Amino acid sequence: MGLLSPRQTGLGSYGCPLPDRIENAGGGPFVGNLSFYQFNMIVSGACTAIVLFLTLGLMGRHAMRMSNPKEQIKIMRIVNMIPSYQVLSFISICVPNSYIYLQGVTEVFQAIALYAFLMLLCDFLAPTDQGKVEFFSSLETKRQWQPKKKRNGLVFLSLTWWSVLQYPIITWIAAVAQVVTQLLHRYCLGSTAPHFAHVWITAATSLSTSVAINAIIQFYTNMKGYMKEHHPLTKLLAFKLIVGLVILEKILFLILEGVNVLHRNEILTYVDVMMGLPEMIICVQMVPLCFLVLYAYRTKPYEISNAPRTVALRPQEYQAVESDGDKDTLMSGFQKRYQGGWMGLNAWAAYLNPLGLLLDVISAHRMISKARALQKAQM
């Protein structure tokens, strides 16, 4: 009923309960003469326009007011998770057959944002690699499962870094595997049978997500006292609400489908229930969450009064200082200049360059490896 197009009346390949090509047709009037599918596209489209306007505006302001590239490029990668979620969800609503192919991509954007968030917290603690080595070398942290025992700070940093880094790697592999298995008719979104890839890919990404988020929470718990002036709790809350709500809703919909509370009827098609409604909720809830992100990652701490927006001749090292109320300030030993270039084009180029993220990962790996090797040599 509404799930299959007129030309597709059978099941999918290899016994999958979903057809190989999913289309949303049928369904009775939901509001006036509009079906739920049409109503969903209108509401989700309006929410998508609002979210894109707000988030791209915030990213654009960071690009044009880029006084601290190391931190602000990471902030742009974090904020990018919202418009990415929004656009991919809206496309999945409009073109249901794309849903399976795009779900893995949303996880990749989420994983990149989580890694950028960890690196941003590290920059808050110490802006340079040498500073990070010195800071974590002198630090001892509690073990998660054995609070009475201590762990060296560099070991803690290395463990956290690897725990978070595996997330974008696993999700990227899972996204590719999801597309390939779907093309081979071996994914099957509507089945948890072990001979289909859906259950295994879901289990792998769920485990990877749990490990990464747990590592971030442990890192924040141990480090929050060293970066109060950066308001890390607000930034963590903005990030966690987005990820947490999406995960919670996925679990809730699985339960509701399992107990047959959600099912197709005269108004809702199977596609509406399984894909349209969950994606619509994501699109709508991103609007209020945008405002929390706008506040948590605002540009005010990076703004420089009366500074020409030109490219600096050499990198600047900024150090955060205690703020009085909302008067966040930054100080530097060099002349302060915005480094995003005309209209922030240089900043956008650096943000969009995939090699930039890869080089950041390589640099962090070298820094941690050298620090641990030096520490072992001294011991």
Side-chain angles (χ1 to χ4, degrees):
M1 178 178 175
L3 172 62
L4 307 180
S5 65
R7 290 175 296 175
Q8 292 182 321
T9 57
L11 297 178
S13 303
Y14 305 102
C16 179
L18 289 177
D20 295 334
R21 180 170 180 81
I22 304 170
E23 295 181 7
N24 197 357
F30 181 71
V31 175
N33 293 324
L34 297 176
S35 66
F36 179 81
Y37 174 60
Q38 295 168 326
F39 173 78
N40 192 355
M41 284 194 292
I42 294 172
V43 172
S44 299
C47 292
T48 300
I50 295 172
V51 167
L52 289 178
F53 175 77
L54 294 174
T55 53
L56 293 180
L58 175 61
M59 295 170 70
R61 289 194 297 276
H62 272 288
M64 296 177 66
R65 294 171 173 82
M66 186 153 287
S67 60
N68 190 337
K70 287 187 67 176
E71 292 183 10
Q72 289 176 273
I73 291 295
K74 295 180 179 69
I75 288 175
M76 291 175 70
R77 287 176 181 151
I78 295 169
V79 175
N80 176 63
M81 181 178 67
I82 296 183
S84 298
Y85 252 122
Q86 194 77 16
V87 170
L88 294 176
S89 295
F90 181 61
I91 294 174
S92 298
I93 291 170
C94 298
V95 189
N97 195 57
S98 68
Y99 176 87
I100 298 174
Y101 299 100
L102 297 180
Q103 283 304 293
V105 181
T106 60
E107 289 277 356
V108 174
F109 283 117
Q110 177 177 299
I112 291 173
L114 190 65
Y115 178 80
F117 182 72
L118 172 64
M119 293 294 99
L120 179 64
L121 295 183
C122 289
D123 286 340
F124 287 162
L125 294 167
T128 65
D129 286 350
Q130 183 61 32
K132 291 180 180 66
V133 171
E134 293 174 357
F135 174 79
F136 284 100
S137 295
S138 62
L139 195 67
E140 285 190 341
T141 62
K142 295 180 180 179
R143 294 177 179 267
Q144 182 177 359
W145 308 114
Q146 297 174 306
K148 293 183 179 180
K149 293 186 178 181
K150 299 291 184 178
R151 176 185 282 121
N152 177 265
L154 279 176
V155 176
F156 172 71
L157 174 62
S158 178
L159 180 61
T160 304
W161 185 77
W162 279 111
S163 297
V164 175
L165 179 63
Q166 57 80 30
Y167 187 28
I169 295 174
I170 295 296
T171 52
W172 184 84
I173 295 173
V176 174
Q178 187 167 323
V179 171
V180 171
T181 53
Q182 175 64 17
L183 291 173
L184 297 174
H185 311 301
R186 288 290 189 176
Y187 180 72
C188 194
L189 177 68
S191 174
T192 56
H195 60 275
F196 288 118
H198 174 227
V199 63
W200 302 110
I201 292 176
T202 301
T205 53
S206 298
L207 178 61
S208 177
T209 305
S210 300
V211 171
I213 291 179
N214 177 68
I216 285 288
I217 293 175
Q218 292 304 311
F219 188 85
Y220 166 77
T221 302
N222 282 279
M223 300 294 115
K224 60 183 179 181
Y226 299 98
M227 48 184 174
K228 292 181 180 179
E229 68 274 11
H230 294 284
H231 311 293
L233 180 58
T234 306
K235 292 179 172 61
L236 178 66
L237 181 62
F239 188 88
K240 286 288 292 176
L241 274 177
I242 297 171
V243 177
L245 283 175
V246 171
I247 294 175
L248 181 62
E249 286 156 7
K250 287 181 179 179
I251 296 173
L252 179 61
F253 272 97
L254 284 174
I255 294 174
L256 293 177
E257 290 170 15
V259 297
N260 202 31
V261 172
L262 284 177
H263 51 80
R264 57 183 176 176
N265 51 44
E266 295 179 354
I267 297 176
L268 300 178
T269 67
Y270 188 83
V271 176
D272 290 332
V273 173
M274 191 168 189
M275 303 174 189
L277 185 59
E279 296 302 300
M280 178 182 177
I281 292 175
I282 290 176
C283 286
V284 172
Q285 74 186 16
M286 286 298 174
V287 175
L289 289 175
C290 263
F291 290 97
L292 178 58
V293 171
L294 290 177
Y295 173 75
Y297 296 98
R298 60 193 184 278
T299 59
K300 190 174 182 180
Y302 301 98
E303 292 177 0
I304 304 169
S305 301
N306 301 320
R309 293 178 188 176
T310 57
V311 182
L313 297 178
R314 56 178 174 171
Q316 305 173 36
E317 295 180 4
Y318 287 82
Q319 180 181 0
V321 296
E322 293 280 347
S323 60
D324 182 14
D326 290 334
K327 296 180 180 180
D328 298 320
T329 58
L330 293 170
M331 61 187 298
S332 170
F334 301 119
Q335 183 182 4
K336 300 172 184 177
R337 290 183 180 180
Y338 289 128
Q339 303 178 48
W342 183 75
M343 297 297 292
L345 292 181
N346 290 350
W348 281 108
Y351 157 73
L352 294 172
N353 182 8
L355 291 178
L357 179 61
L358 179 61
L359 291 175
D360 286 347
V361 172
I362 295 173
S363 176
H365 177 261
R366 287 176 177 172
M367 182 268 292
I368 294 173
S369 299
K370 288 180 180 179
R372 292 198 64 183
L374 179 60
Q375 187 180 58
K376 290 180 179 179
Q378 292 174 346
M379 292 175 62

